[in-house]
Amino acid sequence: MFKKIKSLFSVPTNKPDLALSQLLALSKQIPLLYFLLISNTAFVAYTHFAFAPLFLTVYMPTAFSSICIVRLVSWWKMRHATPSADKAAQRLRSTVYISAGFGLLMSAWGLTIFPYGGPEEKAHVAFFMAITTIACIFCLTHLRAAALALALVTVIPFAIHFALLGSTVMTAVAINMVLVSSVMIYTLSIHFGEFNTMVEQKVNLEKTYIESVRLSNENHKFANLDSLTGMPNRRRFFAELGAAISGAERNKKALAVGLIDLDGFKAVNDLYGHSIGDALLVEASKRMQTHKNWSVFMARLGGDEFGFILQCDHHAQSAIKFGRELCEILRLQYVLGDFSADVSASCGVAMFPDNGKTAEKLLEYADYALYQAKAEATGGTVVFTPKHHEQLRFVHQINQALRNADLVKELSLDFQPIIDKAKGKIVSFEALARWNSPIVGQVPPATFIVTAERSNLIDKLTYVLFDKFLSHLAEWPEHITASFNLSARNLASPETALHILAAVQKSGIAPKRIVFEVTETAVMADFDRALKTLTLLRNLGASIALDDFGTGYSSLGYVHRLPLDKIKIDREFILEIHQSEKAKNIVRTVVDMCRNLGVPCIAEGVETEAQAQAVQGIGCTLMQGYFFGRPVPACEIGKLFELEFVTKRQKNRLRIA
Ligand code: C2E
Ligand code: CA
Ligand code: CA
């Protein structure tokens, strides 16, 4: 009970926001309170001047009003102050005491001056006390403790005094005063409670708002940053590119938009695991950001692809210099814990405004330049040129023609024999796609396969080719095998694998008659998926040959992990074999490796007798190349089964296996 009463007169210390809000509200109301006190006191002093001693009508009111003025000014100044929560609570506490003090002074003065004067003057004092007390309670609404203290020290003494006078009117005034004050204190308590809740809600709302602003800032940051490397991400890159183009257009400046791709990163990722791959990307991004001498914006666009926007002059020279420097630092060896890895980087650049004026065009051209950089030389920088523009136009044309092509009618397969030189017989055939377009004419497979891959038409194309492949096989004797080439996209698509599976089963052809050829680069594009597809095909009963061996990553690590039945040595190494010791040694190493792995190897691109003999001398007897037979339409292969196949140049009698 005592605690409850005490709490009514105290200022809570644990509600800093409430204290500050109370102070703010009071600073607007308390000056009015003092104004009323001064004026009401002056009026009573004036009406009593003729009856009461000077001490009560002049000196005391003057002293009282002076203190009121000092307080009024101090509260007036508080209106725009921002005190600490502690200071605010302190001020509120002192206000409670001061209110009680003023109340006491007012009561003492009122009671002392009351006996002087006639009935009207007495009524004036009673009215003064009642109305001033009510006004003060009203002005102190936001500090319940002060209002309560002031009410107690004024109402109680006066009520007792009036009640003891023995006058019915005065007793009624006393009762009136007590009732009105009680009701006022009660409503004040309700208001104060509501004020308290309102402040709490306001504080909570502010907190929620601040939190939501923080979260939104954080979201914005994460939406624009790559979480692994901390570099700006793809989204930010596009925003920056748009702004950079507008700026360059306005200021008639040039820009270089570059794309960088790490060559060999996928191999590191697949062989050593994703955490090592991640560490490599983090290190690469750090290296890129050490480029302080250039006015450049760099971002990670995804995977091992990065982009830059370089402010430069209209000549591509500085962009080439920048690209080369970047590729050079990216090529330095990466030491990642217990591992060390070597990767290189290629860079493709398109210039604004010379090459293109929109973000889409610049990125398309930079991407084409990057593709050229990868094809021409690893670790190089290629700037988009009018020659590339011409090529790209051709690619677009091919793309368009391919989209509108009647694939079943326009596509066909040629077959090239694979021979066993020691036995002098054909052991298999390789199916090679041909496209005869009524619009663009004969297009080499190396061109249209890439185009189909890039434009997502490869699956459709593969299905048509594979159906034709199966129908040719169905016409040939059952002991004849043939190989079919699969591209990187085919390997990465489980759908294609399932389609192939279903087609083989439907055709009734024994899967052991089919060899799927896959290149190292295609396998490494997505090793895990490729492994799944190859395992599926092999489980079906088909064989797998690793094509163009030696041109990709040539890492024993993954050759071991692949379900391989054959390895085809790329023709690049066969070309010089009869005249270069180095080429011969390379082929010998591969042949030895195949022997150790227990996998037969086939030498591709054998064009001359000298090459054939050099290959055979190393111990590789399986060969393929123009020397033995060019790729020919399937109908011509059919004839071979009736006639014996004889190489035109060597007159060696080759029998079909
Ligand atoms: P590849 O799989 O390495 O096919 C062998 C390529 O070398 C063929 O070129 C063939 O005509 C050529 N070739 C054969 N013997 C010799 C030779 O003695 N000297 C020289 N210089 N070349 C020789 P083609 O038919 O132009 O095919 C090029 C590439 O296109 C193929 O290389 C293969 O990667 C791809 N390709 C062909 N058909 C298909 C297909 O049906 N599907 C997929 N995904 N790719 C295919
Ligand atoms: Ca092949
Ligand atoms: Ca090949």
Side-chain angles (χ1 to χ4, degrees):
M1 176 75 177
F2 177 71
K3 260 190 182 168
K4 210 168 176 188
I5 292 174
K6 200 181 158 201
S7 77
L8 287 176
F9 293 96
S10 59
V11 175
T13 48
N14 57 346
K15 294 186 173 173
D17 299 303
L18 177 64
L20 286 170
S21 302
Q22 283 176 290
L23 204 64
L24 185 70
L26 290 172
S27 67
K28 288 174 190 151
Q29 287 158 202
I30 290 190
L32 288 173
L33 181 151
Y34 282 117
F35 169 74
L36 278 179
L37 273 181
I38 294 166
S39 54
N40 288 2
T41 309
F43 284 125
V44 173
Y46 176 74
T47 54
H48 285 71
F49 188 69
F51 312 102
L54 277 181
F55 171 71
L56 288 176
T57 55
V58 178
Y59 303 138
M60 234 182 114
T62 309
F64 184 68
S65 298
S66 306
I67 303 170
C68 284
I69 288 171
V70 173
R71 296 292 303 161
L72 187 151
V73 172
S74 122
W75 273 100
W76 184 257
K77 283 185 187 162
M78 281 295 291
R79 283 172 316 140
H80 303 300
T82 44
S84 67
D86 277 351
K87 282 248 158 61
Q90 219 172 347
R91 175 111 197 177
L92 293 179
R93 235 167 278 130
S94 67
T95 304
V96 177
Y97 294 123
I98 290 168
S99 303
F102 268 100
L104 274 175
L105 268 177
M106 203 170 79
S107 299
W109 183 68
L111 288 176
T112 320
I113 209 167
F114 184 76
Y116 300 97
E120 276 188 18
E121 283 75 25
K122 283 191 169 61
H124 188 186
V125 174
F127 183 74
F128 160 75
M129 284 309 295
I131 206 78
T132 311
T133 304
I134 288 167
C136 287
I137 292 173
F138 210 77
C139 290
L140 291 169
T141 317
H142 296 99
L143 186 57
R144 188 179 56 185
L148 213 55
L150 184 125
L152 284 181
V153 296
T154 51
V155 175
I156 293 175
F158 252 85
I160 294 171
H161 179 75
F162 287 163
L164 292 178
L165 283 176
S167 148
T168 317
V169 174
M170 284 305 169
T171 309
V173 169
I175 295 170
N176 243 300
M177 212 167 148
V178 171
L179 282 177
V180 170
S181 306
S182 306
V183 169
M184 279 214 66
I185 291 289
Y186 175 70
T187 45
L188 176 142
S189 287
I190 294 172
H191 277 292
F192 184 70
E194 282 170 359
F195 176 71
N196 203 342
T197 321
M198 203 184 76
V199 170
E200 271 171 17
Q201 281 173 347
K202 192 177 149 223
V203 169
N204 285 344
L205 263 176
E206 272 168 7
K207 276 189 191 152
T208 318
Y209 174 72
I210 291 168
E211 181 62 10
S212 64
V213 168
R214 190 188 67 78
L215 284 175
S216 129
N217 286 345
E218 201 131 285
N219 273 346
H220 182 74
K221 199 173 110 189
F222 284 127
N224 286 287
L225 281 188
D226 171 52
S227 56
L228 177 69
T229 60
M231 280 179 103
N233 63 10
R234 191 177 188 86
R235 179 193 164 111
R236 177 80 203 285
F237 181 79
F238 279 94
E240 202 70 27
L241 183 56
I245 289 174
S246 312
E249 211 157 38
R250 251 196 326 275
N251 305 321
K252 308 238 172 313
K253 290 260 160 75
L255 285 178
V257 179
L259 295 177
I260 300 152
D261 197 275
L262 300 182
D263 307 307
F265 168 74
K266 285 198 174 72
V268 173
N269 215 19
D270 290 333
L271 293 175
Y272 300 125
H274 289 269
S275 58
I276 295 289
D278 285 355
L280 193 148
L281 288 174
V282 171
E283 171 63 20
S285 77
K286 275 190 198 149
R287 290 184 191 181
M288 280 190 221
Q289 288 170 77
T290 54
H291 260 274
K292 300 281 177 229
N293 299 339
W294 298 84
S295 176
V296 67
F297 173 86
M298 283 195 252
R300 180 179 173 215
L301 304 181
D304 58 352
E305 196 183 25
F306 298 84
F308 68 77
I309 305 164
L310 181 75
Q311 317 277 343
C312 59
D313 51 33
H314 284 264
H315 306 290
Q317 286 315 315
S318 50
I320 294 177
K321 187 164 179 274
F322 178 73
R324 281 197 187 139
E325 278 183 22
L326 215 53
C327 291
E328 246 160 57
I329 52 167
L330 289 171
R331 222 189 345 245
L332 300 175
Q333 193 174 49
Y334 292 80
V335 180
L336 311 160
D338 296 338
F339 300 92
S340 61
D342 289 294
V343 297
S344 53
S346 305
C347 176
V349 178
M351 300 292 296
F352 169 90
D354 293 355
N355 293 147
K357 289 189 177 169
T358 63
E360 291 73 29
K361 277 280 166 246
L362 289 166
L363 285 170
E364 184 192 349
Y365 295 162
D367 190 44
Y368 190 76
L370 174 66
Y371 175 73
Q372 295 302 320
K374 276 182 172 290
E376 284 167 18
T378 36
T381 297
V382 170
V383 176
F384 192 78
T385 61
K387 189 186 89 190
H388 294 135
H389 198 268
E390 204 45 48
Q391 290 171 357
L392 203 55
R393 225 168 52 85
F394 177 66
V395 170
H396 281 310
Q397 205 185 353
I398 299 279
N399 199 345
Q400 202 58 32
L402 201 57
R403 262 179 210 289
N404 300 325
D406 179 347
L407 294 179
V408 178
K409 208 165 133 198
E410 296 170 29
L411 286 175
S412 64
L413 287 170
D414 273 4
F415 286 84
Q416 186 179 29
I418 298 169
I419 64 111
D420 185 334
K421 177 100 177 13
K423 295 182 182 158
K425 64 183 184 186
I426 296 172
V427 288
S428 186
F429 294 92
E430 176 177 3
L432 293 159
R434 299 290 175 254
W435 177 34
N436 189 8
S437 159
I439 301 164
V440 282
Q442 283 278 358
V443 184
T447 305
F448 72 79
I449 295 288
V450 173
T451 309
E453 282 220 300
R454 291 181 134 215
S455 55
N456 288 332
L457 286 167
I458 190 70
D459 281 347
K460 219 169 127 193
L461 202 118
T462 306
Y463 300 162
V464 172
L465 288 171
F466 194 62
D467 280 349
K468 288 182 186 269
F469 175 78
L470 290 176
S471 55
H472 291 310
L473 265 188
E475 285 167 11
W476 298 341
E478 287 203 358
H479 62 279
I480 300 293
T481 65
S483 34
F484 184 82
N485 289 286
L486 289 179
S487 69
R489 283 286 189 96
N490 291 150
L491 284 181
S493 148
E495 252 174 53
T496 315
L498 291 174
H499 183 97
I500 287 176
L501 225 73
V504 174
Q505 274 162 357
K506 196 172 154 214
S507 72
I509 286 169
K512 64 171 195 258
R513 295 178 64 196
I514 305 170
V515 182
F516 289 103
E517 292 196 7
V518 292
T519 63
E520 291 182 275
T521 331
V523 170
M524 294 318 288
D526 191 338
F527 186 84
D528 292 337
R529 281 194 178 200
L531 187 61
K532 271 192 197 142
T533 307
L534 295 180
T535 311
L536 198 79
L537 297 174
R538 201 147 180 265
N539 288 345
L540 174 74
S543 307
I544 309 294
L546 190 59
D547 205 358
D548 301 351
F549 189 77
T551 54
Y553 303 97
S554 307
S555 163
L556 271 181
Y558 76 86
V559 171
H560 261 293
R561 287 168 61 194
L562 286 173
L564 291 181
D565 301 286
K566 290 179 182 68
I567 286 178
K568 296 182 80 173
I569 308 169
D570 193 72
R571 67 167 173 273
E572 187 187 308
F573 305 102
I574 308 302
L575 202 67
E576 306 266 285
I577 193 163
H578 54 297
Q579 53 197 34
S580 149
E581 263 318 294
K582 197 176 160 206
K584 197 179 267 181
N585 285 337
I586 292 174
V587 177
R588 184 177 289 120
T589 312
V590 179
V591 172
D592 288 347
M593 181 197 84
C594 290
R595 195 173 297 128
N596 290 338
L597 289 172
V599 175
C601 66
I602 302 165
E604 290 189 299
V606 179
E607 293 183 350
T608 63
E609 182 162 14
Q611 286 170 346
Q613 271 171 5
V615 171
Q616 196 174 8
I618 285 169
C620 174
T621 58
L622 297 175
M623 300 179 208
Q624 180 181 355
Y626 295 166
F627 178 63
F628 302 103
R630 287 187 175 256
V632 290
C635 58
E636 289 191 30
I637 295 291
K639 286 183 207 153
L640 287 178
F641 305 125
E642 291 143 29
L643 305 168
E644 279 188 331
F645 182 73
V646 181
T647 56
K648 288 172 195 140
R649 297 179 201 176
Q650 207 189 12
K651 303 282 185 235
N652 265 350
R653 288 174 72 80
L654 292 169
R655 284 170 290 110
I656 295 174

